[in-house]
Amino acid sequence: MTDPQLPGSTGRLGDIPLGDDGRPVFAEPWEASAFALAVRLSGEGHFTWDEWAATLREEIRAAQREGDPDLGDTYYRHWLRTLERLCRERGLVSGPEASDRKEAWRRAYLNTPHGKPVNLAAGG
C-alpha cells in the first residue's frame, strides 16, 4: 500500500509539505515533529482527520477568544494543543503523564546548550 499524497506535499505522506512559495511550512523542528506525530497517530486509527480538524478548529477558536491575534505564527501551537488534547481524550496518555513529560522536556531544553539537539537526559 502506498501513502496518500497531502495537498502541497513534496510527495508521499511522510514528506514535509511545502507552502505556495515552495518553502517548507515549518518554522521550527518541533512543528514538523508535531505534524508527523499527528499524521502517524491518525494513520494508526487513534482519530480520523475529520476529528482532528474539528478539534483543531475548537482549539484555534478558544485561542482567539483568549486574545490570539491569529497572525499565523501560532498555528502549530494550536496544532500541539490539539495533539495533546486528543492523546489525553483517547487514553494514549494521562493528564499527569503529559504534565510530567512536558516538564521533563522543559528542564532538558533549559539544560541543553544552544544549537544542540534537546536530550531528555539533560533534564537532570
Side-chain angles (χ1 to χ4, degrees):
M1 181 172 126
T2 60
D3 291 333
Q5 191 165 341
L6 293 174
S9 170
T10 59
R12 295 168 49 95
L13 188 60
D15 290 347
I16 296 175
L18 301 177
D20 292 337
D21 60 1
R23 294 175 28 196
V25 297
F26 305 113
E28 300 287 339
W30 72 265
E31 294 175 355
S33 294
F35 177 87
L37 186 54
V39 169
R40 173 128 188 202
L41 290 174
S42 178
E44 291 177 355
H46 296 289
F47 47 80
T48 67
W49 274 118
D50 286 342
E51 292 168 323
W52 173 264
T55 307
L56 178 60
R57 186 171 42 253
E58 290 171 11
E59 290 295 331
I60 290 171
R61 287 181 178 155
Q64 289 170 339
R65 284 191 303 273
E66 295 168 5
D68 187 319
D70 196 19
L71 301 175
D73 57 344
T74 56
Y75 178 74
Y76 280 101
R77 292 192 189 283
H78 308 314
W79 188 279
L80 184 58
R81 284 202 325 238
T82 300
L83 185 58
E84 291 171 343
R85 176 178 160 185
L86 285 172
C87 285
R88 282 190 312 273
E89 288 177 357
R90 305 307 156 109
L92 301 174
V93 65
S94 71
E97 288 170 327
S99 294
D100 290 348
R101 182 55 62 133
K102 194 180 245 184
E103 178 57 21
W105 272 104
R106 186 189 73 77
R107 285 191 316 267
Y109 172 78
L110 292 174
N111 289 299
T112 299
H114 180 73
K116 300 290 183 186
V118 175
N119 182 333
L120 278 174

